[in-house]
Amino acid sequence: MSMSKICTLIIFYFLSRLAVAGPCEPFSGYTIKEQLCWDDQLKSWLSESCLKKKCEARAFLERPAPKVTTEAPVGGQNPATLFCHTLKLPVVILRDARGNEQSFCTFKDGSLADPNAIERHIRK
Amino acid sequence: MKIVFVGILGLLLARSSLAATSGCEPMNLLTARNSPFARIPVMDQDGVGLCHAYTAAQLMNFQLVRAGRDPSVHPLWGGVKLAEANRTATVQVGDVPSTVHHILRRGNCPVARIRAALERLVRLGNAREIDVVGIIDRFAHQVYLRQAQEYRLRQTYDLTDQELQRLLRRAVAEQEDHCESGTLQELIPELQNLAVLRSPQMLSNLLLPECQGNLESLALPRFESHHQVPTEEWSQRISETLQRTGSPVGISYCSRFLLEPDHVGVTDRSDPARPQTNPECGPHASIVVGQRPSGTQCQLLIRNSHGNGFGPETENWRCLCRHRRSGAVVDDCQKSTHDDGQYSVEGCWVDGNRLNRNMLQTNWFEASP
């Protein structure tokens, strides 16, 4: 493979990553701030670190989903976050720039993903 | 002759359409000028069954902001106060009117105090907030599952001290697998002290140091609720209340219909005091914050407490979104066209007729005299 082809492939790879990376926004909790970015291909908020290196949140959404079912929601539980609980992924509630609350599932490496995306991935 | 017949038919249809949507003048408390909702964020109750407390907090905070005060009611406080009063073993059981009643009667612990109480544990464990919230979350969820199991077997929610301690140690051990730093074992004695028999007691003890001596009394308008209404009249009543009070209306309903719009949650109202529900009903409480005519019926704008993303319950409905950067409102947004990270979902329009078949109760603060 010629040098120019390799360069083209590298440029194409980075451009394709840029194409799926949506807006980034700071989310905050009681004591932490976490920058999350929208991945338009996975339709999920992911930790910003997932743009720069491999992370478990992205890996989970990219590989085939495990077969998981949840109990029926009780007392108005959020049906999407029940999937995080069933997968034993701690849920953290953060607030976006406008103060609205949003749950996120926490993976072992600390990366965060949107429970709605996890729920859709499992039901797919 | 044919033309006359079609004309009469058209007139009759138009009249019935008008009748169905009369009293459904467009109204939207989320986008109204100087709306208190500008200061009351969309909430997310996660896996905790505290919908009654989230609904009560939003209804009360709306009244407080309208009266020129800060939104000060935290859902956790309502859940704990109700559980204490009812001596229930879990905070995850309750209704909106009782929650409002107990906050008004026992005083309110301001939001900032409750946040400070949670933050204290973060500092004590020298851990990330995610880890401490994770432990409480895991612990509460395990307690909830065990209590549900216990109730199925013995019709009681009570767990022994030993059982609670076992669940707490398990929650800490599981969290440590995820934890990069911190000394989570340090939290066990503190959490054990809090976990005196019941999770409401644990939460109450957690909040006590911050809330004691800092309770505020809230003067709010009269609180009302209805639960005996004929099926076809629910949305009309909600509509009338919205217009009369200019305030949100709390609804208790079968949330299954958000996932399956044709779901009939209430199967028998022959005893109005005890309506029979479908096993898949999924009782839930939310607030209605707007209305608009749509074809021959009235649509109601529901603000849920499941975060502001496009979740499974928003997929069947058109929603009201806000652009994250500019704050511009986009009505009739849908998952298929707006799920791109640019918008937050602030409410969804549901059909009044479909909601009618799933309604259990309404509650609201009357307009001030």
Side-chain angles (χ1 to χ4, degrees):
Chain A
M1 194 181 281
S2 69
M3 197 62 184
S4 63
K5 278 186 180 171
I6 293 171
C7 286
T8 310
L9 279 175
I10 291 171
I11 291 167
F12 180 76
Y13 172 77
F14 280 107
L15 282 177
S16 67
R17 292 301 291 260
L18 279 176
V20 297
C24 295
E25 189 171 320
F27 286 74
S28 57
Y30 289 113
T31 57
I32 63 158
K33 267 199 172 177
E34 182 93 17
Q35 185 80 0
L36 289 147
C37 299
W38 178 259
D39 186 306
D40 208 39
Q41 202 167 37
L42 298 172
K43 295 286 176 197
S44 176
W45 290 100
L46 293 171
S47 296
E48 190 181 33
S49 57
C50 295
L51 288 181
K52 297 168 189 158
K53 57 177 186 178
K54 283 185 180 175
C55 74
E56 291 197 26
R58 176 186 291 285
F60 179 89
L61 292 169
E62 285 180 338
R63 65 175 175 251
K67 286 197 171 83
V68 174
T69 53
T70 62
E71 302 235 337
V74 177
Q77 292 167 307
N78 184 335
T81 60
L82 288 185
F83 282 92
C84 309
H85 292 289
T86 306
L87 292 164
K88 299 194 181 303
L89 301 171
V91 176
V92 62
I93 298 171
L94 302 179
R95 284 179 289 283
D96 66 15
R98 301 185 69 83
N100 293 319
E101 292 179 346
Q102 180 78 44
S103 294
F104 294 97
C105 308
T106 318
F107 286 80
K108 278 194 175 178
D109 62 353
S111 57
L112 304 180
D114 188 336
N116 292 322
I118 287 175
E119 186 266 348
R120 274 198 294 268
H121 184 52
I122 289 169
R123 283 189 196 271
K124 204 159 51 179
Chain B
M1 188 64 185
K2 198 175 171 185
I3 293 171
V4 174
F5 178 71
V6 171
I8 292 171
L9 196 65
L11 198 66
L12 286 173
L13 281 174
R15 279 187 67 116
S16 69
S17 157
L18 274 176
T21 58
S22 65
C24 184
E25 283 74 32
M27 179 176 174
N28 190 333
L29 294 176
L30 295 184
T31 56
R33 202 177 158 83
N34 298 324
S35 167
F37 279 114
R39 297 188 59 203
I40 305 169
V42 177
M43 293 174 157
D44 192 331
Q45 65 180 90
D46 177 23
V48 187
L50 273 172
C51 60
H52 56 287
Y54 276 82
T55 298
Q58 290 182 89
L59 294 174
M60 297 176 90
N61 282 332
F62 184 93
Q63 299 300 328
L64 288 171
V65 176
R66 189 148 87 165
R69 296 184 58 184
D70 290 329
S72 177
V73 180
H74 192 292
L76 188 56
W77 183 250
V80 168
K81 289 295 108 181
L82 180 63
E84 277 178 6
N86 291 346
R87 297 178 184 275
T88 51
T90 170
V91 290
Q92 307 193 81
V93 178
D95 62 288
V96 179
S98 307
T99 309
V100 169
H101 170 76
H102 285 293
I103 295 174
L104 291 176
R105 190 169 158 212
R106 289 154 188 266
N108 180 53
C109 180
V111 163
R113 295 277 171 186
I114 289 181
R115 291 201 172 139
L118 292 172
E119 198 180 318
R120 193 171 60 82
L121 277 192
V122 174
R123 303 207 184 283
L124 187 72
N126 187 29
R128 296 177 307 168
E129 173 191 309
I130 285 177
D131 295 315
V132 172
V133 175
I135 291 173
I136 294 176
D137 195 56
R138 281 168 186 280
F139 177 64
H141 191 63
Q142 285 166 7
V143 168
Y144 164 73
L145 290 177
R146 274 290 295 119
Q147 283 178 331
Q149 192 182 24
E150 203 62 19
Y151 191 80
R152 276 197 296 272
L153 293 172
R154 284 181 270 277
Q155 281 73 55
T156 172
Y157 288 113
D158 287 342
L159 301 178
T160 62
D161 258 344
Q162 289 84 348
E163 178 77 348
L164 279 168
Q165 283 176 22
R166 187 182 68 78
L167 294 176
L168 178 57
R169 287 185 181 282
R170 200 167 100 187
V172 171
E174 282 182 10
Q175 186 65 34
E176 277 183 330
D177 289 345
H178 293 253
C179 189
E180 289 170 349
S181 62
T183 47
L184 300 188
Q185 293 291 332
E186 298 293 319
L187 289 175
I188 289 181
E190 174 82 3
L191 290 170
Q192 259 174 0
N193 284 337
L194 293 169
V196 188
L197 273 179
R198 294 179 172 87
S199 61
Q201 190 66 49
M202 170 182 172
L203 291 166
S204 182
N205 289 353
L206 172 65
L207 303 179
L208 200 62
E210 283 292 333
C211 296
Q212 209 169 27
N214 290 304
L215 297 183
E216 56 182 5
S217 70
L218 305 176
L220 298 178
R222 196 176 76 246
F223 192 69
E224 298 278 358
S225 63
H226 271 164
H227 63 276
Q228 297 185 19
V229 175
T231 300
E232 65 279 8
E233 288 181 22
W234 277 106
S235 57
Q236 192 187 328
R237 298 279 186 97
I238 294 169
S239 181
E240 286 166 7
T241 309
L242 261 179
Q243 287 176 101
R244 187 180 68 252
T245 62
S247 297
V249 179
I251 55 170
S252 299
Y253 62 108
C254 294
S255 63
R256 186 78 193 179
F257 103 101
L258 295 176
L259 301 169
E260 296 169 17
D262 290 326
H263 181 76
V264 178
V266 180
T267 51
D268 183 3
R269 288 191 203 273
S270 51
D271 178 358
R274 293 177 196 280
Q276 299 296 303
T277 56
N278 187 313
E280 294 186 330
C281 157
H284 186 27
S286 302
I287 55 173
V288 173
V289 293
Q291 61 174 20
R292 68 178 184 188
S294 172
T296 58
Q297 65 171 313
C298 191
Q299 285 194 323
L300 298 167
L301 183 60
I302 291 186
R303 194 188 220 209
N304 209 337
S305 48
H306 291 164
N308 64 344
F310 280 99
E313 294 170 324
T314 65
E315 293 183 11
N316 294 305
W317 310 99
R318 288 172 183 266
C319 299
L320 185 119
C321 292
R322 201 175 284 275
H323 193 272
R324 286 181 172 274
R325 289 262 162 84
S326 68
V329 171
V330 177
D331 209 351
D332 287 319
C333 61
Q334 294 178 85
K335 183 185 171 321
S336 58
T337 49
H338 292 81
D339 191 15
D340 58 3
Q342 310 268 3
Y343 300 93
S344 68
V345 180
E346 305 219 336
C348 287
W349 295 102
V350 303
D351 299 334
N353 294 346
R354 287 178 157 130
L355 178 63
N356 284 346
R357 301 193 290 252
N358 292 280
M359 276 298 300
L360 296 164
Q361 192 185 70
T362 55
N363 30 69
W364 67 92
F365 283 99
E366 261 309 336
S368 299

